[in-house]
Amino acid sequence: VRRQLEYLGVQSIANIGGAVRLVSCKTGFGVTGMLDKARRLADDMECDIYVVGAANAGKSTLINQILAKNEEKKMAVKFGKKKPSHASAHKGAVTASPLPGTTLKFIEVDIGDGQKLYDTPGLLVPGTLTQRLTPAELKMVVPRKQVEPITFRVASGKCVLVGGLARIEVVGDTKPFLFTFFVSNEIKLHPTDATKADDFVAKHAGEMLTPPLAPGPERMEQIGEFESHTVDIQGAGWKEAAADITLRGLGWVAVTGA
């Protein structure tokens, strides 16, 4: 991530390429360390903290974790121990939802010691499939539990359908590749011949292939035609992925081959 930020020329007040932190909005892993770093930077610059990112990136969920950590610290100071695990609700929680646009304005959060943190509306990233999905379909696409990677061996002329929303295909004179999909467990994956893919989607979208949900043909028309991209990948052996293909709004596919 740091290398990519440097390549894109992203400037950071923390260090070259940005202060990258691995955190979990679901479990709270790494949140305390990240917040401490942000607090120190805000103190040095005498400014507030803003949480900015794409829609559905988890900004509001992250802020709720920050609020929970603050509550734990207050309870620890007051009672000399951490808050009981069953008392997980915290005052002032912000609304988190898989629907883009849930955060409609800047939301101010007091994180103590005179510092303010602001939740901001999500940025709509061009080409993101989630912008074309219904609320029910969004709930399927946004993971609510740990993703279970699924791997397929895909030869030339074969493809894997990602619900009715995407298709990954191997073309040309090449050896088979392993495609490992990191997408929501509720998205139906289906390997098939590339020549049969269009007919299969037309017949089974909304049923065997979800999302989209029924009525499949009508939803496929509303979503629109697929946009095609050709990626040239040189295999790096069977012990590591040679490349990751991003399905914007859905997840990614690790490509492994010799």
Side-chain angles (χ1 to χ4, degrees), residues 201-236:
V201 171
K203 184 177 181 179
H204 296 291
E207 298 174 357
M208 287 180 62
L209 292 176
T210 55
L213 296 173
E218 181 180 325
R219 287 292 299 126
M220 290 301 296
E221 185 176 348
Q222 293 169 348
I223 290 170
E225 295 183 1
F226 285 0
E227 183 178 283
S228 179
H229 298 272
T230 301
V231 182
D232 186 13
I233 298 175
Q234 300 296 325

